Amino acid sequence: MSEVQRKKYTEQEKNKIFDGEFMPHIDSMYNFGYRLTFDEDDAKDLVQDTYLKAYRFINSFEQGTNAKAWLFRILKNSFINDYRKKSKQPSKVDYQEVETYYNSDDVDYSMTSDLRVDSVKDMLGDEISNALNSLAVDFRTVIILCDLEGFTYEEMAKILDIPIGTVRSRLHRARNLLKEKLRSYAQNMGYNTDEEG
Amino acid sequence: MENSLEESGERKLQCSDVSKCFQLLESILDGNDVPDSKEILKSKLAKCQPCFEHFHLEQAIKEVLRNKCTKHEVPSELVANIRQKIEEIK
Ligand SMILES: [Zn+2]
């Protein structure tokens, strides 16, 4: 990439992009960081690093393109490179489960859930949050990007550097696992599920 | 006829292609650009009970996730720290 071709922003333009297009996403960025690391200090460091990188590489950001997706991609990469090893992730994360899922080609769409809409709607924030947090990081990530942040599959593919087909299947698997969790919470809450009857 | 039967009376109880249908419904629900999505959604929900149930469950889960998992308050010093660090590297 030649310096001539590369668009250089003036100091003023940089500040405008940073304040107008990057900073408005700080809430989402922090939430993402926290749900990846489960630690407030790690999340703060991760978000701060992300914004510093974003500023440093601001010339490779095309003004008017999706700043949120661009920032999420930086944060995700920082997490993988710098934090994943030392993150205080609960050891109970079931990597075996991930392996088994990744090694199977077919996504099971026929798996029905007896979880009911009403019991989902009555769930407490803590239960929803715990269910999400209990998923292995790759599954948790696709749910965060899609359901919490509203990214499209195409945007997710770019953020995660994986094909759209993989986004789709990973998301479906993540949802099945999440439903299993929610279903067990619903049972504990005393909701009747069909299986109990 | 019972009410519940009447409500679902128009819908078939077996989905003809559950993988294809659920994938399509999820794509639409997730805000992806699906051609004729409104018509597809309307007809699937009207004609197929498994599709109807799957869509409404996924929709409910999506909604609670968005409402209950995005309200993490950003530590007040974070923005100030970021700005200070940026001034340092400028
Ligand atoms: Zn169907």
Side-chain angles (χ1 to χ4, degrees), chain B residues 42-55:
Chain B
K42 211 175 144 189
S43 101
K44 291 233 180 284
L45 298 191
K47 288 178 188 160
C48 178
Q49 187 64 19
C51 278
F52 178 87
E53 284 173 11
H54 184 74
F55 184 82

Side-chain angles (χ1 to χ4, degrees), chain A residues 6-195:
Chain A
R6 185 184 250 193
K7 187 175 170 188
K8 292 282 179 196
Y9 297 117
T10 64
E11 201 69 10
Q12 205 183 3
E13 283 169 332
K14 281 185 188 175
N15 293 337
K16 199 176 157 223
I17 293 170
F18 196 82
D19 289 346
E21 299 194 49
F22 294 174
M23 286 313 264
H25 301 297
I26 189 114
D27 288 19
S28 294
M29 296 288 285
Y30 182 75
N31 195 44
F32 187 34
Y34 187 81
R35 289 193 181 277
L36 288 176
T37 60
F38 299 127
D39 182 90
E40 207 171 285
D41 290 328
D42 283 346
K44 279 196 284 192
D45 288 348
L46 193 49
V47 172
Q48 183 170 301
D49 286 357
T50 302
Y51 273 96
L52 292 185
K53 281 179 193 158
Y55 190 83
R56 207 170 281 140
F57 298 107
I58 201 161
N59 283 310
S60 58
F61 172 73
E62 283 299 322
Q63 216 174 346
T65 61
N66 194 333
K68 188 178 171 184
W70 193 73
L71 292 169
F72 266 69
R73 187 165 182 277
I74 298 175
L75 193 146
K76 184 256 340 180
N77 286 335
S78 298
F79 172 70
I80 289 173
N81 296 331
D82 310 336
Y83 288 85
R84 205 163 181 170
K85 281 168 236 150
K86 71 166 183 122
S87 88
K88 293 162 190 161
Q89 203 157 239
S91 55
K92 66 183 173 210
V93 170
D94 193 355
Y95 288 104
Q96 191 59 48
E97 188 175 61
V98 180
E99 279 305 297
T100 311
Y101 268 111
Y102 281 169
N103 290 336
S104 68
D105 285 343
D106 297 320
V107 184
D108 187 10
Y109 277 93
S110 65
M111 185 185 124
T112 55
S113 174
D114 57 358
L115 182 64
R116 302 164 80 123
V117 170
D118 285 347
S119 55
V120 170
K121 285 182 175 166
D122 284 346
M123 281 199 187
L124 303 172
D126 278 357
E127 288 166 326
I128 303 288
S129 196
N130 288 341
L132 176 61
N133 291 349
S134 75
L135 300 182
V137 68
D138 286 344
F139 291 133
R140 201 183 331 133
T141 300
V142 287
I143 300 252
I144 294 168
L145 296 180
C146 183
D147 295 327
L148 273 52
E149 301 300 339
F151 286 113
T152 63
Y153 299 165
E154 205 181 322
E155 290 165 339
M156 289 165 73
K158 283 180 190 157
I159 293 169
L160 300 173
D161 298 303
I162 54 176
I164 283 197
T166 309
V167 169
R168 216 182 264 279
S169 54
R170 199 179 289 179
L171 185 60
H172 190 80
R173 285 164 186 149
R175 283 176 168 160
N176 279 346
L177 293 167
L178 188 73
K179 273 184 279 194
E180 272 308 300
K181 278 278 172 227
L182 294 177
R183 186 175 158 279
S184 68
Y185 290 153
Q187 271 176 336
N188 290 339
M189 280 159 69
Y191 277 99
N192 284 325
T193 58
D194 296 342
E195 250 179 36

Side-chain angles (χ1 to χ4, degrees), chain B residues 12 14-18 21-22 25 44 48-52:
Chain B
K12 52 195 170 66
Q14 292 284 326
C15 185
S16 51
D17 190 344
V18 91
C21 283
F22 286 11
L25 289 174
K44 291 233 180 284
C48 178
Q49 187 64 19
C51 278
F52 178 87

